[in-house]
Every structure is written in C-alpha cells, then in structure tokens.
Amino acid sequence: MELDSIECVSSSDGMIDDDEIPLHHPHIIHSQYSSSKTPNNNNNINNSSSNNDGIAAIHSTTSVHELLECPVCTNSMYPPIHQCHNGHTICSTCKARAHNRCPTCRQELGDIRCLALEKVAESLELPCKYGSVGCPEIFPYYSKLKHESVCNFRPYSCPYAGSECSVVGDIPYLVSHLRDDHKVDMHSGCTFNHRYVKSNPREVENATWMLTVFNCFGQCFCLHFEAFQLGTAPVYMAFLRFMGDEMEARNYSYSLEVGGNGRKLTWEGTPRSIRDSHRKVRDSHDGLVIQRNMALFFSGGERKELKLRVTGRIWKEQQNPDGGACMPNLCT
C-alpha cells in the first residue's frame, strides 16, 4: 500500500572454494611439546623488574588472544576449535565453508579438536570490544561474547522499516543516515500533527512504512505509521520509538490521538527503544491501533477514502523531590 499524500505540521552464507578463502594469519598449534629445560647457571636473578613482568604479561595475553583469532574470518574462536594434522587452527564456521580442507596447508581437516587452545582460553580475561567507545568491562573469554551481544555501547541498527537496511552505528550517524539516505522527514519540537490520505483504504498489500524523526529534549524519536493485516482485516497503527537505550526511553512518555465525527481514540505510553526491532513493537500492538472500519468512520464522507489526522506530543518525566512520583515536563 502506498499512501497518496502525507502532510506533517510540527508545532515547533554459501560454500566457498578452497582458492577463494582469504587467509589472514595462519596459526599453528603443536600437539606435542618439548619438556626439556635449559639449565640456569645465573643465580643473580633480578627480582626488582615488576614493571617488566607486567608488560610481559600483557604481551602474553595479547599473543594468546591473537592465537584465538580464526585465520580466515579473524573472529574470535570458540569451542569447538578445529585444527589440521599440521596444527593449523580454524573456527567451526569456517571449517564448514572450507570443504573440510585446511586453508593454510590444504590438508584434510578431519575432526581434530584443539583442546589445548580451548583450555587456554578459559584462563583469559579480555576487555569488551566496545571499550573504544566507552565500555569499561572486562570478562572471562567465554563470557565476553554474551556480554557484547547486549552491551549498552554496541552500535544501533537502522530504525527505518521500509527496507531491510543493514546499516549500524551510533545515534548521530543514524540520524544523518535516515535524513540523507532514506530521505526521512526531520522535525524539531515535541508535538506533531500528521494527516494521512489513501484513495483505496482496502488495499494493504505492500504497505509503505511512514517514518518521521522528531528532535525533542535533545533526543531523537521515530514516529511510525503503517497499515498491516491483522487476521482477515487491515488495521492502521502509529507508535513511537526512542533513539537510545531502554533505560533512557523510560524517562519519556507520549500520547497519540486520532478522531473525527465527534469521536476520538487516544493512546498514551512509553516509547520503545530502537533496540527493539520495528516488527517486535508492531507485533506486540504497543501503540495506537485503529481498525479499518473505525478509520473509515473517522474519515467521514462515503467511507471510500482514508483521511486520518494523527496528533500527539512527547514529554519528559521528572522525579518529584517531595513525593517521589514522576511529574511531566512539557516541551514548550
């Protein structure tokens, strides 16, 4: 479905051949070690170089971490870590793509586990990969991946729902991306007034997602309006998402209202974070949902044309220092 017109008034994996696999840095893990010791004839060992010991420890951890990088995809390897008969390691994902051939020596990989390297990984503690953008956390090797999947400093996905956009980044980057690449309307202010017109409201297939970004209280909010099939009948839905994390989103509230012919529907709630996908919010019906018959009633006339005016506002909840309750701070 494509909306005929919109008016907005702001109040203010495949298989890879052996030869095609890029090899970044082959790792060799020998399954047999020499246990011979070199005699130490120097009894005057300097035990005062604690700083050098610390530097050596850091270099050692870094070296082991490099060993845990898959030489093909350069991602960190997690059990099962595989190796060929010559000791070259590879992650399980790349092993499946390599036709069971070692990308370093072209020997058959087989099903040899590199248990020694897996064991070494258990003793490592590494910083979050988002440390460069502010995350201070350090985790055991096998806990690091789980943390990074929910880290508050991880990049956000593009909130545009009209296409399968794979762009990720921080909020300022995504705002520019929405404006420049998706041509999304940008508005300043905490109140809005949208008019949606559709000449044939009975068509819902290939619905066009409408998105507008509002800059309010120094934050950005995404207003979505769309049509989709609910059971056998089409419905229309409007909802707001906050461009930030869920904890920050709880500091704000919003209301939406649609009406006509002396009737109105009102929705009030907390905006969802863009950490929650557009589909997740939509499928939970967390917003203003308008049945088609009611939408046509609001449109007036002979109910042959959809004309909806959706108004709303955003406000920030402030903590009352006396009673502890939240008080609205309305945008002027």
Side-chain angles (χ1 to χ4, degrees), residues 78 126-129 139-148:
Y78 293 87
L126 299 171
C128 171
K129 71 178 181 179
F139 292 91
Y141 185 78
Y142 290 135
S143 303
K144 178 173 172 284
L145 195 65
K146 182 178 180 181
H147 160 77
E148 290 172 349

Side-chain angles (χ1 to χ4, degrees), residues 24 26 63 65-66 74 100 112 125 178 182 189 216 223 251 268 284 299 311 326 331:
H24 296 275
S63 298
H65 189 209
E66 289 175 353
T74 72
N100 203 35
I112 304 174
E125 288 191 347
L178 288 171
H182 293 299
C216 174
L223 176 64
N251 295 325
E268 186 173 307
S284 66
S299 299
T311 61
C326 288
C331 179

Side-chain angles (χ1 to χ4, degrees), residues 270-285:
T270 300
R272 296 280 285 269
S273 165
I274 60 171
R275 294 287 191 203
D276 289 334
S277 70
H278 164 270
R279 182 173 293 276
K280 181 178 180 180
V281 180
R282 190 199 74 179
D283 291 349
S284 66
H285 303 165

